[in-house]
PDB file of all heavy atoms in Angstrom:
ATOM      1  N   GLY Z 343       0.819  -1.258   0.008  1.00  0.00           N
ATOM      2  CA  GLY Z 343       0.012  -0.006  -0.026  1.00  0.00           C
ATOM      3  C   GLY Z 343       0.826   1.290   0.006  1.00  0.00           C
ATOM      4  O   GLY Z 343       0.514   2.202   0.752  1.00  0.00           O
ATOM      5  N   THR Z 344       1.843   1.312  -0.828  1.00  0.00           N
ATOM      6  CA  THR Z 344       2.632   2.602  -0.898  1.00  0.00           C
ATOM      7  C   THR Z 344       2.964   2.902  -2.331  1.00  0.00           C
ATOM      8  O   THR Z 344       3.159   1.974  -3.131  1.00  0.00           O
ATOM      9  CB  THR Z 344       3.946   2.518  -0.062  1.00  0.00           C
ATOM     10  OG1 THR Z 344       4.778   3.584  -0.462  1.00  0.00           O
ATOM     11  CG2 THR Z 344       4.668   1.232  -0.262  1.00  0.00           C
ATOM     12  N   SER Z 345       3.018   4.192  -2.675  1.00  0.00           N
ATOM     13  CA  SER Z 345       3.330   4.558  -4.022  1.00  0.00           C
ATOM     14  C   SER Z 345       4.842   4.589  -4.266  1.00  0.00           C
ATOM     15  O   SER Z 345       5.328   4.807  -5.402  1.00  0.00           O
ATOM     16  CB  SER Z 345       2.727   5.994  -4.338  1.00  0.00           C
ATOM     17  OG  SER Z 345       3.357   6.883  -3.410  1.00  0.00           O
ATOM     18  N   LEU Z 346       5.621   4.387  -3.207  1.00  0.00           N
ATOM     19  CA  LEU Z 346       7.108   4.432  -3.280  1.00  0.00           C
ATOM     20  C   LEU Z 346       7.578   5.693  -4.035  1.00  0.00           C
ATOM     21  O   LEU Z 346       8.433   5.618  -4.874  1.00  0.00           O
ATOM     22  CB  LEU Z 346       7.637   3.153  -4.000  1.00  0.00           C
ATOM     23  CG  LEU Z 346       7.607   1.841  -3.251  1.00  0.00           C
ATOM     24  CD1 LEU Z 346       8.264   0.754  -4.048  1.00  0.00           C
ATOM     25  CD2 LEU Z 346       8.292   1.989  -1.898  1.00  0.00           C
ATOM     26  N   GLU Z 347       6.971   6.818  -3.625  1.00  0.00           N
ATOM     27  CA  GLU Z 347       7.351   8.102  -4.260  1.00  0.00           C
ATOM     28  C   GLU Z 347       8.161   8.988  -3.355  1.00  0.00           C
ATOM     29  O   GLU Z 347       8.934   9.845  -3.783  1.00  0.00           O
ATOM     30  CB  GLU Z 347       6.135   8.838  -4.725  1.00  0.00           C
ATOM     31  CG  GLU Z 347       5.648   8.334  -6.118  1.00  0.00           C
ATOM     32  CD  GLU Z 347       4.267   8.878  -6.465  1.00  0.00           C
ATOM     33  OE1 GLU Z 347       3.710   9.621  -5.704  1.00  0.00           O
ATOM     34  OE2 GLU Z 347       3.783   8.489  -7.561  1.00  0.00           O
ATOM     35  N   VAL Z 348       8.009   8.807  -2.010  1.00  0.00           N
ATOM     36  CA  VAL Z 348       8.664   9.744  -1.084  1.00  0.00           C
ATOM     37  C   VAL Z 348       9.979   9.175  -0.664  1.00  0.00           C
ATOM     38  O   VAL Z 348      10.109   8.072  -0.147  1.00  0.00           O
ATOM     39  CB  VAL Z 348       7.744   9.944   0.150  1.00  0.00           C
ATOM     40  CG1 VAL Z 348       8.439  10.945   1.154  1.00  0.00           C
ATOM     41  CG2 VAL Z 348       6.373  10.487  -0.214  1.00  0.00           C
ATOM     42  N   GLU Z 349      11.055   9.974  -0.950  1.00  0.00           N
ATOM     43  CA  GLU Z 349      12.411   9.614  -0.531  1.00  0.00           C
ATOM     44  C   GLU Z 349      12.693  10.090   0.894  1.00  0.00           C
ATOM     45  O   GLU Z 349      12.066  11.081   1.269  1.00  0.00           O
ATOM     46  CB  GLU Z 349      13.410  10.124  -1.479  1.00  0.00           C
ATOM     47  CG  GLU Z 349      13.324   9.557  -2.891  1.00  0.00           C
ATOM     48  CD  GLU Z 349      13.736   8.069  -2.931  1.00  0.00           C
ATOM     49  OE1 GLU Z 349      14.182   7.531  -1.915  1.00  0.00           O
ATOM     50  OE2 GLU Z 349      13.598   7.460  -4.004  1.00  0.00           O
ATOM     51  N   PRO Z 350      13.595   9.514   1.670  1.00  0.00           N
ATOM     52  CA  PRO Z 350      14.422   8.366   1.271  1.00  0.00           C
ATOM     53  C   PRO Z 350      13.725   7.014   1.490  1.00  0.00           C
ATOM     54  O   PRO Z 350      14.306   5.979   1.193  1.00  0.00           O
ATOM     55  CB  PRO Z 350      15.613   8.532   2.228  1.00  0.00           C
ATOM     56  CG  PRO Z 350      15.099   9.196   3.373  1.00  0.00           C
ATOM     57  CD  PRO Z 350      13.986  10.079   2.937  1.00  0.00           C
ATOM     58  N   PHE Z 351      12.475   7.043   1.903  1.00  0.00           N
ATOM     59  CA  PHE Z 351      11.715   5.760   2.206  1.00  0.00           C
ATOM     60  C   PHE Z 351      11.714   4.894   0.974  1.00  0.00           C
ATOM     61  O   PHE Z 351      12.050   3.720   1.017  1.00  0.00           O
ATOM     62  CB  PHE Z 351      10.316   6.144   2.608  1.00  0.00           C
ATOM     63  CG  PHE Z 351       9.493   4.923   3.150  1.00  0.00           C
ATOM     64  CD1 PHE Z 351       9.519   4.602   4.464  1.00  0.00           C
ATOM     65  CD2 PHE Z 351       8.693   4.195   2.300  1.00  0.00           C
ATOM     66  CE1 PHE Z 351       8.805   3.528   4.984  1.00  0.00           C
ATOM     67  CE2 PHE Z 351       7.933   3.098   2.735  1.00  0.00           C
ATOM     68  CZ  PHE Z 351       8.041   2.828   4.091  1.00  0.00           C
ATOM     69  N   ALA Z 352      11.377   5.517  -0.186  1.00  0.00           N
ATOM     70  CA  ALA Z 352      11.151   4.719  -1.405  1.00  0.00           C
ATOM     71  C   ALA Z 352      12.320   3.849  -1.826  1.00  0.00           C
ATOM     72  O   ALA Z 352      12.193   2.685  -2.266  1.00  0.00           O
ATOM     73  CB  ALA Z 352      10.739   5.652  -2.554  1.00  0.00           C
ATOM     74  N   SER Z 353      13.539   4.422  -1.688  1.00  0.00           N
ATOM     75  CA  SER Z 353      14.699   3.725  -2.213  1.00  0.00           C
ATOM     76  C   SER Z 353      15.052   2.453  -1.396  1.00  0.00           C
ATOM     77  O   SER Z 353      15.857   1.634  -1.811  1.00  0.00           O
ATOM     78  CB  SER Z 353      15.887   4.657  -2.378  1.00  0.00           C
ATOM     79  OG  SER Z 353      16.128   5.252  -1.129  1.00  0.00           O
ATOM     80  N   LEU Z 354      14.475   2.361  -0.215  1.00  0.00           N
ATOM     81  CA  LEU Z 354      14.768   1.156   0.609  1.00  0.00           C
ATOM     82  C   LEU Z 354      14.324  -0.127  -0.110  1.00  0.00           C
ATOM     83  O   LEU Z 354      14.914  -1.192   0.126  1.00  0.00           O
ATOM     84  CB  LEU Z 354      13.994   1.236   1.961  1.00  0.00           C
ATOM     85  CG  LEU Z 354      14.426   2.335   2.948  1.00  0.00           C
ATOM     86  CD1 LEU Z 354      13.598   2.264   4.193  1.00  0.00           C
ATOM     87  CD2 LEU Z 354      15.923   2.261   3.268  1.00  0.00           C
ATOM     88  N   ALA Z 355      13.382  -0.062  -0.981  1.00  0.00           N
ATOM     89  CA  ALA Z 355      12.881  -1.217  -1.711  1.00  0.00           C
ATOM     90  C   ALA Z 355      14.015  -1.913  -2.454  1.00  0.00           C
ATOM     91  O   ALA Z 355      14.009  -3.103  -2.686  1.00  0.00           O
ATOM     92  CB  ALA Z 355      11.752  -0.906  -2.655  1.00  0.00           C
ATOM     93  N   GLY Z 356      15.017  -1.119  -2.854  1.00  0.00           N
ATOM     94  CA  GLY Z 356      16.169  -1.655  -3.547  1.00  0.00           C
ATOM     95  C   GLY Z 356      17.257  -2.097  -2.678  1.00  0.00           C
ATOM     96  O   GLY Z 356      18.346  -2.574  -3.151  1.00  0.00           O
ATOM     97  N   ALA Z 357      17.106  -1.999  -1.361  1.00  0.00           N
ATOM     98  CA  ALA Z 357      18.184  -2.221  -0.426  1.00  0.00           C
ATOM     99  C   ALA Z 357      18.305  -3.682   0.073  1.00  0.00           C
ATOM    100  O   ALA Z 357      19.225  -4.024   0.840  1.00  0.00           O
ATOM    101  CB  ALA Z 357      18.095  -1.290   0.785  1.00  0.00           C
ATOM    102  N   VAL Z 358      17.350  -4.530  -0.290  1.00  0.00           N
ATOM    103  CA  VAL Z 358      17.504  -5.912   0.143  1.00  0.00           C
ATOM    104  C   VAL Z 358      18.430  -6.630  -0.918  1.00  0.00           C
ATOM    105  O   VAL Z 358      18.560  -6.190  -2.043  1.00  0.00           O
ATOM    106  CB  VAL Z 358      16.152  -6.720   0.165  1.00  0.00           C
ATOM    107  CG1 VAL Z 358      15.309  -6.221   1.393  1.00  0.00           C
ATOM    108  CG2 VAL Z 358      15.380  -6.565  -1.140  1.00  0.00           C
ATOM    109  N   ARG Z 359      19.041  -7.751  -0.460  1.00  0.00           N
ATOM    110  CA  ARG Z 359      19.937  -8.463  -1.364  1.00  0.00           C
ATOM    111  C   ARG Z 359      19.154  -8.932  -2.568  1.00  0.00           C
ATOM    112  O   ARG Z 359      17.952  -9.191  -2.487  1.00  0.00           O
ATOM    113  CB  ARG Z 359      20.563  -9.654  -0.565  1.00  0.00           C
ATOM    114  CG  ARG Z 359      21.554  -9.221   0.471  1.00  0.00           C
ATOM    115  CD  ARG Z 359      21.830 -10.325   1.497  1.00  0.00           C
ATOM    116  NE  ARG Z 359      20.640 -10.732   2.214  1.00  0.00           N
ATOM    117  CZ  ARG Z 359      20.367 -11.966   2.636  1.00  0.00           C
ATOM    118  NH1 ARG Z 359      21.191 -12.961   2.370  1.00  0.00           N
ATOM    119  NH2 ARG Z 359      19.278 -12.220   3.329  1.00  0.00           N
ATOM    120  N   SER Z 360      19.890  -9.103  -3.710  1.00  0.00           N
ATOM    121  CA  SER Z 360      19.158  -9.413  -4.966  1.00  0.00           C
ATOM    122  C   SER Z 360      18.531 -10.845  -4.936  1.00  0.00           C
ATOM    123  O   SER Z 360      17.684 -11.131  -5.742  1.00  0.00           O
ATOM    124  CB  SER Z 360      20.103  -9.324  -6.142  1.00  0.00           C
ATOM    125  OG  SER Z 360      21.211 -10.161  -5.968  1.00  0.00           O
ATOM    126  N   SER Z 361      19.000 -11.697  -3.994  1.00  0.00           N
ATOM    127  CA  SER Z 361      18.461 -13.019  -3.931  1.00  0.00           C
ATOM    128  C   SER Z 361      17.113 -13.085  -3.115  1.00  0.00           C
ATOM    129  O   SER Z 361      16.410 -14.075  -3.030  1.00  0.00           O
ATOM    130  CB  SER Z 361      19.432 -13.979  -3.225  1.00  0.00           C
ATOM    131  OG  SER Z 361      19.762 -13.448  -1.913  1.00  0.00           O
ATOM    132  N   VAL Z 362      16.779 -11.962  -2.530  1.00  0.00           N
ATOM    133  CA  VAL Z 362      15.636 -11.864  -1.586  1.00  0.00           C
ATOM    134  C   VAL Z 362      14.341 -11.605  -2.367  1.00  0.00           C
ATOM    135  O   VAL Z 362      14.268 -10.581  -3.080  1.00  0.00           O
ATOM    136  CB  VAL Z 362      15.880 -10.810  -0.479  1.00  0.00           C
ATOM    137  CG1 VAL Z 362      14.629 -10.543   0.340  1.00  0.00           C
ATOM    138  CG2 VAL Z 362      17.044 -11.213   0.404  1.00  0.00           C
ATOM    139  N   PRO Z 363      13.327 -12.397  -2.150  1.00  0.00           N
ATOM    140  CA  PRO Z 363      12.033 -12.138  -2.816  1.00  0.00           C
ATOM    141  C   PRO Z 363      11.412 -10.884  -2.312  1.00  0.00           C
ATOM    142  O   PRO Z 363      11.546 -10.566  -1.138  1.00  0.00           O
ATOM    143  CB  PRO Z 363      11.141 -13.389  -2.439  1.00  0.00           C
ATOM    144  CG  PRO Z 363      12.089 -14.381  -1.905  1.00  0.00           C
ATOM    145  CD  PRO Z 363      13.284 -13.689  -1.410  1.00  0.00           C
ATOM    146  N   ARG Z 364      10.810 -10.088  -3.216  1.00  0.00           N
ATOM    147  CA  ARG Z 364      10.133  -8.890  -2.852  1.00  0.00           C
ATOM    148  C   ARG Z 364       8.658  -9.024  -3.290  1.00  0.00           C
ATOM    149  O   ARG Z 364       8.412  -9.353  -4.488  1.00  0.00           O
ATOM    150  CB  ARG Z 364      10.716  -7.656  -3.563  1.00  0.00           C
ATOM    151  CG  ARG Z 364      12.207  -7.441  -3.299  1.00  0.00           C
ATOM    152  CD  ARG Z 364      12.789  -6.137  -3.862  1.00  0.00           C
ATOM    153  NE  ARG Z 364      12.732  -6.121  -5.343  1.00  0.00           N
ATOM    154  CZ  ARG Z 364      13.225  -5.160  -6.053  1.00  0.00           C
ATOM    155  NH1 ARG Z 364      13.823  -4.131  -5.459  1.00  0.00           N
ATOM    156  NH2 ARG Z 364      13.103  -5.114  -7.360  1.00  0.00           N
ATOM    157  N   VAL Z 365       7.732  -8.815  -2.373  1.00  0.00           N
ATOM    158  CA  VAL Z 365       6.340  -8.947  -2.695  1.00  0.00           C
ATOM    159  C   VAL Z 365       5.623  -7.630  -2.594  1.00  0.00           C
ATOM    160  O   VAL Z 365       5.656  -6.998  -1.557  1.00  0.00           O
ATOM    161  CB  VAL Z 365       5.656  -9.960  -1.726  1.00  0.00           C
ATOM    162  CG1 VAL Z 365       4.190 -10.138  -2.045  1.00  0.00           C
ATOM    163  CG2 VAL Z 365       6.389 -11.312  -1.693  1.00  0.00           C
ATOM    164  N   LEU Z 366       5.003  -7.219  -3.676  1.00  0.00           N
ATOM    165  CA  LEU Z 366       4.270  -5.959  -3.680  1.00  0.00           C
ATOM    166  C   LEU Z 366       2.751  -6.301  -3.603  1.00  0.00           C
ATOM    167  O   LEU Z 366       2.234  -7.068  -4.359  1.00  0.00           O
ATOM    168  CB  LEU Z 366       4.498  -5.209  -5.003  1.00  0.00           C
ATOM    169  CG  LEU Z 366       3.663  -3.951  -5.225  1.00  0.00           C
ATOM    170  CD1 LEU Z 366       4.106  -2.838  -4.316  1.00  0.00           C
ATOM    171  CD2 LEU Z 366       3.744  -3.461  -6.699  1.00  0.00           C
ATOM    172  N   ILE Z 367       2.096  -5.727  -2.584  1.00  0.00           N
ATOM    173  CA  ILE Z 367       0.648  -5.843  -2.514  1.00  0.00           C
ATOM    174  C   ILE Z 367       0.069  -4.456  -2.583  1.00  0.00           C
ATOM    175  O   ILE Z 367       0.229  -3.640  -1.663  1.00  0.00           O
ATOM    176  CB  ILE Z 367       0.174  -6.551  -1.168  1.00  0.00           C
ATOM    177  CG1 ILE Z 367       0.816  -7.962  -1.056  1.00  0.00           C
ATOM    178  CG2 ILE Z 367      -1.355  -6.634  -1.048  1.00  0.00           C
ATOM    179  CD1 ILE Z 367       0.522  -8.737   0.213  1.00  0.00           C
ATOM    180  N   ASN Z 368      -0.464  -4.066  -3.728  1.00  0.00           N
ATOM    181  CA  ASN Z 368      -0.753  -2.711  -3.996  1.00  0.00           C
ATOM    182  C   ASN Z 368      -1.778  -2.572  -5.167  1.00  0.00           C
ATOM    183  O   ASN Z 368      -1.963  -3.539  -5.883  1.00  0.00           O
ATOM    184  CB  ASN Z 368       0.563  -1.962  -4.302  1.00  0.00           C
ATOM    185  CG  ASN Z 368       0.490  -0.467  -4.160  1.00  0.00           C
ATOM    186  OD1 ASN Z 368      -0.072   0.030  -3.182  1.00  0.00           O
ATOM    187  ND2 ASN Z 368       1.029   0.289  -5.102  1.00  0.00           N
ATOM    188  N   ARG Z 369      -2.347  -1.386  -5.284  1.00  0.00           N
ATOM    189  CA  ARG Z 369      -3.240  -1.159  -6.431  1.00  0.00           C
ATOM    190  C   ARG Z 369      -2.509  -1.200  -7.760  1.00  0.00           C
ATOM    191  O   ARG Z 369      -2.997  -1.824  -8.714  1.00  0.00           O
ATOM    192  CB  ARG Z 369      -3.925   0.231  -6.322  1.00  0.00           C
ATOM    193  CG  ARG Z 369      -5.047   0.261  -5.315  1.00  0.00           C
ATOM    194  CD  ARG Z 369      -6.174   1.192  -5.685  1.00  0.00           C
ATOM    195  NE  ARG Z 369      -7.289   1.007  -4.734  1.00  0.00           N
ATOM    196  CZ  ARG Z 369      -8.162   0.072  -4.837  1.00  0.00           C
ATOM    197  NH1 ARG Z 369      -8.128  -0.758  -5.833  1.00  0.00           N
ATOM    198  NH2 ARG Z 369      -9.178  -0.043  -3.939  1.00  0.00           N
ATOM    199  N   ASP Z 370      -1.315  -0.632  -7.780  1.00  0.00           N
ATOM    200  CA  ASP Z 370      -0.591  -0.520  -9.075  1.00  0.00           C
ATOM    201  C   ASP Z 370       0.856  -0.953  -8.897  1.00  0.00           C
ATOM    202  O   ASP Z 370       1.391  -1.003  -7.757  1.00  0.00           O
ATOM    203  CB  ASP Z 370      -0.518   0.921  -9.597  1.00  0.00           C
ATOM    204  CG  ASP Z 370      -1.863   1.590  -9.436  1.00  0.00           C
ATOM    205  OD1 ASP Z 370      -2.765   1.331 -10.199  1.00  0.00           O
ATOM    206  OD2 ASP Z 370      -1.988   2.441  -8.545  1.00  0.00           O
ATOM    207  N   LEU Z 371       1.517  -1.279 -10.017  1.00  0.00           N
ATOM    208  CA  LEU Z 371       2.957  -1.474 -10.014  1.00  0.00           C
ATOM    209  C   LEU Z 371       3.601  -0.141  -9.684  1.00  0.00           C
ATOM    210  O   LEU Z 371       3.270   0.889 -10.271  1.00  0.00           O
ATOM    211  CB  LEU Z 371       3.422  -1.950 -11.374  1.00  0.00           C
ATOM    212  CG  LEU Z 371       3.237  -3.426 -11.753  1.00  0.00           C
ATOM    213  CD1 LEU Z 371       3.706  -3.678 -13.158  1.00  0.00           C
ATOM    214  CD2 LEU Z 371       3.954  -4.315 -10.731  1.00  0.00           C
ATOM    215  N   VAL Z 372       4.561  -0.172  -8.749  1.00  0.00           N
ATOM    216  CA  VAL Z 372       5.227   1.106  -8.333  1.00  0.00           C
ATOM    217  C   VAL Z 372       6.749   0.833  -8.189  1.00  0.00           C
ATOM    218  O   VAL Z 372       7.164  -0.319  -8.030  1.00  0.00           O
ATOM    219  CB  VAL Z 372       4.717   1.669  -7.003  1.00  0.00           C
ATOM    220  CG1 VAL Z 372       3.304   2.157  -7.134  1.00  0.00           C
ATOM    221  CG2 VAL Z 372       4.800   0.646  -5.881  1.00  0.00           C
ATOM    222  N   GLY Z 373       7.534   1.911  -8.234  1.00  0.00           N
ATOM    223  CA  GLY Z 373       8.937   1.894  -7.960  1.00  0.00           C
ATOM    224  C   GLY Z 373       9.598   0.813  -8.809  1.00  0.00           C
ATOM    225  O   GLY Z 373       9.301   0.588  -9.983  1.00  0.00           O
ATOM    226  N   PRO Z 374      10.614   0.086  -8.212  1.00  0.00           N
ATOM    227  CA  PRO Z 374      11.364  -0.919  -8.926  1.00  0.00           C
ATOM    228  C   PRO Z 374      10.473  -2.073  -9.503  1.00  0.00           C
ATOM    229  O   PRO Z 374      10.831  -2.727 -10.447  1.00  0.00           O
ATOM    230  CB  PRO Z 374      12.371  -1.438  -7.947  1.00  0.00           C
ATOM    231  CG  PRO Z 374      11.840  -0.977  -6.559  1.00  0.00           C
ATOM    232  CD  PRO Z 374      11.009   0.229  -6.834  1.00  0.00           C
TER     233      PRO Z 374
END
């Protein structure tokens, strides 16, 4: 439930290791 538009919060989505699954539960595709 986030638009991932407000920094520096938004860029955290890219801070997990690349092997780590990321699950988006949201109205639209956002950010990365």
